[in-house]
Amino acid sequence: MIAAIPLLILPFILYNLGMVGLLGSGGVAVFESTVLSMTMLSGAVWTMSVGDLVIVIALVLLFVEILKATRVGSKALMDHLLSMVLFIVFLVEFLLVANAATHTFFILMTISFIDVIAGFSVSMRSAGRDVSIGL
């Protein structure tokens, strides 16, 4: 059952912890604070904020979720259903909570939507290959 839990719940939890102020004293402003700053060979300064880091983590987890979607069976179905529920929770929070109306949360919600669509698409594609016609 634990394998069916969508991994994208981790960025969702991280964002909500930051939103209520548990990751720093600034609330949502913590996502704008700089984690990494590097001077490139061109002389430009590249910075990564906490929000950018959460998005990168979500993208890595999306890759793992797409790999999980290639499984066949009841666990895969439960995983897809829980991913859909997570996307709905993202959407409701985005629409109803003022501190969730940020570009970081919107991108996380979009990643969750891609997880739902890709999961169902990959499952249907792999299920079509599992059916033998017997010609």
Side-chain angles (χ1 to χ4, degrees), residues 50-65:
V50 174
D52 297 335
L53 183 62
V54 172
I55 290 171
V56 169
I57 291 169
L59 287 171
V60 170
L61 294 175
L62 175 64
F63 173 72
V64 176
E65 282 291 322

Side-chain angles (χ1 to χ4, degrees), residues 17-34:
L17 288 175
M19 187 172 62
V20 296
L22 294 178
L23 295 182
S25 60
V28 189
V30 74
F31 295 109
E32 300 300 324
S33 61
T34 302

Side-chain angles (χ1 to χ4, degrees), residues 4-131:
I5 295 174
L7 296 175
L8 290 175
I9 199 165
L10 295 176
F12 179 77
I13 291 170
L14 281 174
Y15 187 89
N16 283 308
L17 288 175
M19 187 172 62
V20 296
L22 294 178
L23 295 182
S25 60
V28 189
V30 74
F31 295 109
E32 300 300 324
S33 61
T34 302
V35 173
L36 178 66
S37 180
M38 292 176 53
T39 303
M40 309 306 281
L41 292 175
S42 65
V45 178
W46 175 74
T47 59
M48 176 181 268
S49 67
V50 174
D52 297 335
L53 183 62
V54 172
I55 290 171
V56 169
I57 291 169
L59 287 171
V60 170
L61 294 175
L62 175 64
F63 173 72
V64 176
E65 282 291 322
I66 290 174
L67 290 179
K68 282 174 46 179
T70 61
R71 295 179 299 170
V72 183
S74 62
K75 287 182 184 178
L77 180 61
M78 182 60 76
D79 187 29
H80 298 320
L81 291 175
L82 290 176
S83 293
M84 177 66 85
V85 169
L86 180 63
F87 169 68
I88 292 170
V89 170
F90 263 111
L91 183 62
V92 168
E93 185 169 337
F94 181 71
L95 294 173
L96 299 180
V97 178
N99 284 339
T102 64
H103 66 279
T104 301
F105 195 81
F106 178 78
I107 293 171
L108 291 175
M109 182 181 65
T110 304
I111 291 170
S112 178
F113 178 70
I114 291 170
D115 174 36
V116 170
I117 299 301
F120 282 119
S121 300
V122 168
S123 291
M124 287 190 313
R125 187 85 154 146
S126 62
R129 291 183 180 167
D130 285 343
V131 176

